[in-house]
Each structure stands twice: as C-alpha cells, then as structure tokens.
Amino acid sequence: MTAHERILLATTGWNPGAWLQVFRRECPDRQTVTEPDGPADPSIRYAVVWKHAPGSLARLPNLRAIFSLGAGVDHVYLDPALPDVPVIRIVSADLTMRMTEYVVWQVLDHARQGPAYRAQQQQRKWRELPQPAAASLTVGIMGLGVLGTDAAGKLGNIGFRIAGWSRNEKRIAGIACHHGAAGLDAFLGESDIVVVLLPLTVETRGIIDASLVARMKRPTPLGGPVLINAGRGGLQVESDILTALDDGTLMAASLDVFENEPLAAESRLWTHPRVTLTPHIAATSDPARLVPELLREMENLERGRPVKGLVNGRAGY
Ligand code: NDP
Ligand code: OXD
C-alpha cells in the first residue's frame, strides 16, 4: 500500500476514537479516515468495518478488501450492495482467549450451581446442593471453529467431557465430534451444558428454538439442560427460550448476545431468575491488540501470503 492509499474506518455503535488512535500510531505513513472524500473516493484501499452503513462501500473504485472489526461477519453481509472483494475477519489469540475465559466462567458457574447458590444467599439459606464433578458432565460446543475449539481444549483440561457440532465432519482428539443436521440430535442428547459459538448465517438463524431445546439432554446431573449462547443473538428465539425456562424444559441460560441489542428494557430476560445476562462482552475487540494484527493481515494480502481471517463468502462465515 502506498502513502496516498487510505484506510476507511466505518463503524456504527462503536466509538471509532480508540481504533483511529491506534491505527494512526501503528500506521503513521498511511492515513486512516472515518469519512471518504465522497462515495467514490479513489484513495480508499481498505475498509475496516463494524456495522457500516449499507451501500456506503459500493462505489469505492479501488477498494481491495473489507476487514471486520470482530470475529463475526454477519454485520458485513447485511449490506445488499457489498462490493465483490475479499472479506477478512478477526482471528486473534487475544480475542480467542477472552472468549475462552467467558465460556469457562459460565460453564463452571453452572457446573458449581452458581445461580442456585446466589438465589439461596438472597434468602440467607444454608443448603448444600448436589455437586457433580467436572468429569461427570458433558459440555457440548456448537461451532468447532477457532473459538469453539479453543474453549473445548481448556474445558477438557479442567476435566469436562467434550462433545462438538460443526457443519463439516471433523476429528479432534478429546472431542466427540458430530456434524450436520444428521448429527445434531446425537450431539444434543449427550450434552449437559450446550455452549453456542456458531456464526449467524442463513443456515443458523433461529437455530436455538423450541424444537432444539426440546431435544436437549434430560435428565442431567444439574437438574436439566443448560444453554450458553455467546455466538450471535440472531441464533436464538428468545420467546422460545423464556417459555422453556418457565416450564422447566431448560434449567438455566447464560446469554451474552440478543436478537436486538441493546436488549429492550422490558424484556423478561433481564429479571428471569435462571438467566445470567451480559451485554455482548464475551470477547471484546481490543484496538491495541487487534490493530497490529489487522495491519499484518493487510500486508499478507498485499504480498500474496496466506490471510488467516479470509472468509468463505458463500458459506457466510
Ligand atoms: P469460525 O468460523 O472459526 O467457526 C464457526 C464454526 O461454526 C465452525 O466450526 C463451523 O463449522 C460451524 N458452523 C457454521 N455453520 C454451521 C452450520 N450450519 N451447522 C453446524 N455448524 C456450523 O468462527 P469463530 O469460532 O471464530 O467465531 C464464532 C462466532 O462467535 C462468530 O461468528 C461470532 O458471531 C461469535 N463471536 C461472539 C463474540 C462475543 O463477544 N459474543 C466475540 C467473537 C465472536 P465448520 O468447522 O464445519 O466450518
Ligand atoms: C465479534 C464480536 O464478532 O465482538 O468479534 O461479536
């Protein structure tokens, strides 16, 4: 990339300030801007985006690639006028470790009866609950990609049995792997805690619905199946999850992502006693850690070297 070629930072809902500061520090010889000089600005070489305005990249004549500021790219493909250039997502040890921390935190919280003990504490109730050992619980990971595989490994080290579900067939040591629609029931049937780390695509939208919850394992050592979703809110049907929690089909849920974000103040999920809710923070994208990696990916692209985060546009992830 030459000095007169520029990087466009296009975000909605995220303050671009911190990203801009790091781009300008790490890449002083090229300009990073938040607005192009008109819709057909010839100087824009790369767009780095989080929920960019649909259509805003369509006429940039020299755009070489679009970089997502997250691991997920569903927000990129919302643009019906997306230019036909490579889409590249974040694949980073920093982001991966953050997600693994979240998954291990939530799995251990459910495995150690955290929600029930917090409720007992509110009532000053001293009562010991059944405590299954990690080795007697199976954690099922939906989505055995970069994030799912790492979380699976760390949970396996703690002693949990691990099952996994992916689109394509896989063989991974220590994981009972299932794949495709045909493998879903077997996967659900052996998972005491289901962790969802799927991307949001046309195939996965709304996959966590009443039908899926009804097919989850029961009975389980925790009194019923537990759901943890840190993938995307569009994967879940929130009304079905609430019904399943109310009627006991689902024991408990940890949700980091929601159909509409921020979650509406009137949603019953906020106050449900068996829901643990976080505001889409499972794995935060940290500019200081990720900008140098993004710049390395740009350089790899320019030099014809392998690009870690290259997205399969047809699959949508
Ligand atoms: P990857 O692309 O590496 O992995 C995706 C996995 O999902 C793969 O194993 C893939 O299968 C599987 N998959 C995709 N479609 C299907 C399908 N139709 N049926 C079964 N399995 C399917 O993604 P990452 O692991 O990097 O990230 C996963 C998601 O996590 C992101 O897309 C993003 O939405 C979310 N995320 C959330 C964050 C948060 O803070 N809450 C932060 C970062 C990411 P296969 O291996 O066969 O291709
Ligand atoms: C991501 C996210 O996709 O933060 O990285 O959700």
Side-chain angles (χ1 to χ4, degrees), residues 110-111 113 130-133 136-140 161 187-194 213-227 248-252 274:
H110 290 288
Q113 306 273 18
Q131 185 51 68
S136 63
L137 292 171
T138 299
V139 180
R161 295 187 303 239
F187 164 81
L188 293 171
E190 68 191 61
S191 303
D192 299 299
I193 298 175
V194 170
V213 173
R215 284 140 63 209
M216 286 169 83
K217 181 179 170 189
R218 59 184 59 77
T220 78
L222 297 172
V226 171
L227 171 72
T249 310
L250 198 55
M251 183 64 195
R274 281 177 288 116

Side-chain angles (χ1 to χ4, degrees), residues 14 50 68-74 90 95 231-232 257 280 283-285:
W14 278 8
W50 181 259
S68 166
L69 283 178
V73 288
D74 46 297
I90 301 271
L95 190 96
R232 278 290 180 269
V257 286
H280 198 144
T284 302
S285 290

Side-chain angles (χ1 to χ4, degrees), residues 71-72 74 89 95 99 143-148 165-168 170 197-200 203-204 230-232 256-257 280-283 317:
D74 46 297
R89 70 194 191 89
L95 190 96
M99 180 58 84
L144 284 176
V146 173
L147 303 181
W165 186 68
S166 54
R167 196 160 69 101
N168 303 293
K170 286 187 192 296
L197 286 172
L198 289 168
L200 180 60
E203 283 182 20
T204 61
R232 278 290 180 269
D256 181 61
V257 286
H280 198 144
I281 50 70
Y317 67 96

Side-chain angles (χ1 to χ4, degrees), residues 80-291:
L82 199 68
D84 185 17
V85 295
V87 174
I88 295 154
R89 70 194 191 89
I90 301 271
V91 173
S92 144
D94 179 68
L95 190 96
T96 301
M97 192 59 222
R98 287 166 190 259
M99 180 58 84
T100 293
E101 285 173 16
Y102 170 86
V103 172
V104 171
W105 169 37
Q106 292 307 313
V107 167
L108 282 174
D109 190 45
H110 290 288
R112 298 306 302 250
Q113 306 273 18
Y117 281 126
R118 283 191 291 277
Q120 286 190 188
Q121 184 177 346
Q122 293 282 319
Q123 300 157 28
R124 297 168 186 255
K125 195 188 270 180
W126 181 280
R127 184 155 71 92
E128 192 175 331
L129 300 170
Q131 185 51 68
S136 63
L137 292 171
T138 299
V139 180
I141 314 264
M142 289 181 84
L144 284 176
V146 173
L147 303 181
T149 310
D150 191 74
K154 306 280 190 314
L155 288 165
N157 287 344
I158 294 172
F160 292 101
R161 295 187 303 239
I162 308 293
W165 186 68
S166 54
R167 196 160 69 101
N168 303 293
E169 187 170 2
K170 286 187 192 296
R171 283 206 182 108
I172 305 174
I175 305 182
C177 292
H178 305 269
H179 69 281
L184 185 55
D185 279 0
F187 164 81
L188 293 171
E190 68 191 61
S191 303
D192 299 299
I193 298 175
V194 170
V195 177
V196 185
L197 286 172
L198 289 168
L200 180 60
T201 67
V202 284
E203 283 182 20
T204 61
R205 181 172 288 282
I207 191 169
I208 313 165
D209 62 1
S211 150
L212 182 137
V213 173
R215 284 140 63 209
M216 286 169 83
K217 181 179 170 189
R218 59 184 59 77
T220 78
L222 297 172
V226 171
L227 171 72
I228 298 171
N229 183 14
R232 278 290 180 269
L235 300 166
Q236 71 201 13
V237 179
E238 282 160 20
S239 54
D240 287 4
I241 291 174
L242 276 164
T243 304
L245 286 162
D246 288 343
D247 68 18
T249 310
L250 198 55
M251 183 64 195
S254 292
L255 306 174
D256 181 61
V257 286
F258 300 90
E259 286 174 37
N260 292 300
E261 296 178 3
L263 181 64
E266 59 273 21
S267 170
R268 270 209 309 126
L269 289 169
W270 284 109
T271 51
H272 200 288
R274 281 177 288 116
V275 173
T276 301
L277 189 154
T278 44
H280 198 144
I281 50 70
T284 302
S285 290
D286 175 359
R289 302 301 295 266
L290 298 186
V291 168

